Amino acid sequence: MYFALGTVLSFLINYFFYSSKNISLDIYYALSFGIAWGIAYYLDTPDFTLPQKLGISFAVMGVLVLIGTGLFSLEQAIPSILKFSTVFVAYYLIASFRANKSLRR
């Protein structure tokens, strides 16, 4: 749910307000935004330690860069990891204000 909602909202915002004139690049950025919300939600359990959460998030960022570099260029792939890391940190920042430190419960 977080993945789908994040992807759709990000795409609509990018497409209508910050259009890059490249629809495939807009979709790629929207997917990176949605993936960040989805991964953050998935990792938001006590089953994962902090090093595991960081390791998985860095691995996903690496995959995003590889895919983005393959489809576009390195310069166009870098904003996807900036979006990913910003959303990932924002998720846990928002969660930190809750008593149980999680958005799942």
Side-chain angles (χ1 to χ4, degrees):
M1 180 174 85
Y2 277 78
F3 165 74
L5 188 60
T7 300
V8 170
L9 286 176
S10 177
F11 176 77
L12 293 174
I13 290 169
N14 281 337
Y15 185 75
F16 289 113
F17 297 109
Y18 304 110
S19 180
S20 66
K21 308 290 188 256
N22 185 345
I23 193 82
S24 58
L25 190 60
D26 288 339
I27 291 170
Y28 172 69
Y29 289 155
L31 283 172
S32 69
F33 190 88
I35 289 168
W37 278 110
I39 293 291
Y41 181 78
Y42 172 73
L43 295 175
D44 190 15
T45 67
D47 299 336
F48 293 101
T49 64
L50 183 58
Q52 288 174 324
K53 291 176 183 181
L54 291 173
I56 292 170
S57 70
F58 283 127
V60 172
M61 284 191 282
V63 169
L64 282 172
V65 169
L66 289 174
I67 292 170
T69 303
L71 295 174
F72 308 105
S73 68
L74 182 61
E75 292 80 18
Q76 292 175 320
I78 297 298
S80 71
I81 62 168
L82 296 175
K83 289 176 188 281
F84 181 95
S85 60
T86 302
V87 168
F88 201 81
V89 168
Y91 181 95
Y92 285 102
L93 179 68
I94 294 167
S96 73
F97 290 113
R98 297 196 53 187
N100 61 3
K101 306 296 184 214
S102 174
L103 294 181
R104 275 194 170 204
R105 294 176 235 129

